[in-house]
Each structure stands twice: as C-alpha cells, then as structure tokens.
C-alpha cells in the first residue's frame, strides 16, 4: 500500500540497524556496531554479536525514529532480516521485530539479507531497471544475479562463489599480512601506497574452460599467504603496500570482468554492484572504467548503504508492501543458511509469499 512507513531491522552479523522507508524514500536510519569488540579476536564471535544486538536494539530503533521525525504509531509495517546470518543474532532481531509488529498491530515481513543489499541501491538511484545484473560482494557472499522485479520475481543466479567470498579473502589475507580486522578497509588503505602490478597474483576461474560466472577466492588467499611467507622465511618484512595493492587488483579484476561479461551475454544494460566490498575503492573504479568502455550503466550505492544496515531491509519491505505481498505468518522463523530465491523469506519449507 502506497504511503506506508516501513521499519526495517537488520541483525544478521555484527551491526544492529534500523531504517524507515516510505514509497522508496529513506526517512531515517540508525546503526550500532560491535565490530570493535570482535576486532581483538580477528573475526566475529557469534555470542558477543548476539548480546550486542540485545543491548542495541531498542536504542537503535528509537534513534532511527527520532531522525525520521516519526513516532512508533506512524509505522505501518515491520520488515526484518530472517536469513542468512548468525543464528543467535538473527533471533534477537526477529524477536524484537515481532514484538514491535504485534504491539503496533501491523504486518511483518521476513526479508533475505542479500535482497536487502540489492534493494539498498533503490534508495539512492530509484527503481531497479528490469532486468539488471547485480554483483553482490560481501564478507560471506559473492554472487552474480539476474534481477527483474525484486518484490515479485525469483532471483536468477548466474554464478556464485565456490569457496571463500571476496570479503573473506580480504579478511584472511589481511590477517596474514599483519593488518587489522576488518580486512577489507585495511587492505584498501594499505593499497593506496602500493603498486598493483608488483605481485602477479592469480585470477581464479578466468580460464576458457572455467565456469564463466563462478567465483573462487580460496586459492588467491593461499597465494597471498605464500607470498608473505617467502619474505618472512628470509627474515624480511613483506612489502605490504605492494601485496595489498596487487591482491586488491586481482579481486577487482575478477569481479568486474565477470560482471561485465554477464551483462553482455544477457543483453543487459545496467550493472548494480552492492555489498560491503562494493565500498572498495578499486572495485568501484575498475567497475566504472569497464562499464564505460562497454556502454553499460553502472549503479553503486553510496558507502553508507554498502555495509549492513536497517535501511536496506526497510527498502525490501517497502517494495513488498507496495507490490501487495502477503505478510509473513505468525510462526515466521530464521533461516541462517537461506539461499537467495526471493526477496521475502518465510519459514524453511514454506512456499514463496503469494501476492494479493
């Protein structure tokens, strides 16, 4: 229904987000991160993340409402991430969202986290072209998708990662290089002073016999580890700036090469790049360069909408509400390993939500 204010809740990993969207426009959002608590462990600790969500949930929702100049009574629907993600973290967000929806007497919608990343771009650039190719690059996911109507149609997977995602590669390589967590921003910063051609890192799955749209970054991570180990075995410090720049170039090369090829093969004129790794400076620059050369329109959300946030979940909820999608049932549950098939998620084993 047009004019409905949708509150979106995101709690799939280490960030608690709340956002409010109405008719495709972001009204306000707030975010709390427990990243600093995880940094000393070199990665996200599920129990710490769940406890942080529990503490941050109510303050974050209140802050988002305040920034939007709204009251709880103004909310007409609640959307919440129900998968994929950390089970305990998802449970906290779902419990809070169910409580809010019940107390306000409004419908609830379970949302796929990755669909949220796709929808985030609509808050900056408007409705997605039908069709478009979407490249999702994040800490745990790397996928090439063919997207039509996100609220109504199934998402077509052109290719997915077979092992480590691009963000995982950055995180693990950064640890091997002695750089801080999270690895993606650390690699990006270090790469500014390096030579991207200094180290010849492999470009996985880019051979003529490879799946043209599948991704694999485990071997690239291993190559980076061996490169650093060769220096340390000689008692030398690896030239980290050159290593970071070369690794970043390899990742950006593979991602953008496959994405542009997918657009060409499927006759699609728009590429949308989303997810946390879409904030990487070299990925953005190379995507822009290659799309311009191929005559393909490129859409990338602003940095504040690339990483996990509640606004992107509200954006999916807004699309579902305006499309007339049926709300989720009372027994809506989490699915930590949910595949991306539709934007809306119902309990495992249920069919995709019907449109009314």
């Amino acid at each position: 229904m047009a004019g409905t204010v949708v509150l979106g809740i995101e709690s799939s990993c280490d960030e608690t987000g709340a956002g409010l969207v109405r008719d495709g426009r972001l009204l306000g959002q707030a975010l709390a991160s427990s990243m600093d608590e995880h940094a000393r462990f070199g990665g996200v600790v599920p129990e710490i993340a769940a406890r942080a969500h529990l503490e941050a949930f109510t303050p974050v929702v209140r802050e988002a409402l305040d920034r939007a100049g709204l009251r709880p009574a103004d909310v007409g629907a609640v959307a919440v991430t129900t998968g994929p993600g950390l089970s305990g973290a998802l449970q906290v967000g779902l419990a809070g969202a169910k409580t809010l929806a019940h107390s306000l007497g409004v419908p609830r919608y379970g949302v796929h986290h990755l669909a949220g990343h796709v929808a985030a771009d609509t808050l900056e650039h408007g409705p997605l072209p039908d069709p478009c190719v979407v490249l999702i690059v994040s800490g745990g996911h790397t996928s090439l998708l063919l997207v039509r109507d996100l609220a109504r149609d199934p998402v077509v997977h052109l290719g997915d990662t077979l092992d480590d995602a691009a963000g995982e590669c950055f995180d693990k390589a950064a640890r091997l290089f002695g750089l801080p967590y999270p690895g993606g921003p650390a690699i990006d910063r270090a790469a500014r002073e390096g030579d991207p051609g200094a180290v010849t890192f492999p470009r996985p799955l880019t051979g003529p016999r490879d799946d043209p749209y599948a991704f694999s970054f485990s071997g690239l991570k291993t190559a980076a580890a061996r490169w650093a180990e060769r220096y340390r075995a000689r008692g030398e410090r690896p030239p980290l700036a050159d290593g970071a720049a070369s690794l970043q170039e390899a990742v950006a090369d593979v991602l953008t090469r496959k994405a542009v090829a997918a657009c060409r093969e499927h006759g699609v004129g728009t590429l949308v790049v989303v997810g946390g790794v879409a904030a990487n400076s070299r990925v953005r620059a190379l995507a822009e360069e290659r799309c311009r050369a191929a005559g393909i329109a490129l859409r990338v959300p602003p940095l504040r909408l690339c990483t996990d946030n509640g606004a992107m979940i509200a954006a999916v909820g807004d699309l579902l509400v305006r499309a007339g999608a049926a709300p989720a049932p009372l027994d809506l549950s989490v699915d930590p390993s949910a595949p991306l098939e539709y934007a809306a998620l119902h309990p495992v084993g249920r069919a995709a939500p019907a449109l009314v």
Side-chain angles (χ1 to χ4, degrees), residues 7-11 16-18 50 53-54 56-58 61 75 77-82 88-104 106-109 332 334:
L7 169 65
I9 303 296
E10 158 61 23
S11 69
T16 312
H53 289 307
L54 193 61
F57 184 91
T58 298
V61 171
V75 174
V78 177
V80 58
T81 302
T82 50
L90 290 168
Q91 292 283 6
V92 173
L94 178 58
K98 280 186 172 182
T99 301
L100 284 172
H102 180 73
S103 64
L104 296 173
V106 300
R108 68 193 65 78
Y109 296 86
L332 176 66
V334 303

Side-chain angles (χ1 to χ4, degrees), residues 60-73:
V60 164
V61 171
R62 285 176 176 166
E63 184 179 349
L65 287 165
D66 288 345
R67 290 184 175 182
L70 297 172
R71 302 166 301 154

Side-chain angles (χ1 to χ4, degrees), residues 199-206 216-217 219-224 246-247 249-251 253-254:
V199 186
T200 307
F201 284 131
R203 269 53 172 174
L205 294 185
T206 55
S216 169
F217 293 103
L220 179 57
K221 170 202 67 182
T222 301
S246 299
L247 176 69
E249 187 69 20
V251 171
D253 180 22
V254 172

Side-chain angles (χ1 to χ4, degrees), residues 9 13 34-35 40 48 57 94 115 126 143 147 166 172 175 186 191 196 199 238 248 271 293 314 317 321 330 335:
I9 303 296
C13 191
S34 57
M35 187 179 296
R40 57 197 175 107
I48 291 176
F57 184 91
L94 178 58
S143 297
V147 176
K172 293 173 180 177
R175 186 184 305 174
V199 186
Q248 181 174 262
L271 172 65
V321 168
L330 293 175
D335 184 353

Side-chain angles (χ1 to χ4, degrees), residues 139-152:
H141 305 274
T142 303
S143 297
L144 264 176
L145 312 171
L146 184 63
V147 176
R148 295 189 178 277
D149 186 326
L150 186 62
R152 298 175 181 273

Side-chain angles (χ1 to χ4, degrees), residues 129-163:
D130 179 3
C132 61
V133 168
V134 178
L135 172 63
I136 296 181
V137 274
S138 67
H141 305 274
T142 303
S143 297
L144 264 176
L145 312 171
L146 184 63
V147 176
R148 295 189 178 277
D149 186 326
L150 186 62
R152 298 175 181 273
D153 296 331
V155 174
V156 177
H157 287 248
L158 303 178
D160 298 284
T161 187
L162 303 179
D163 41 56

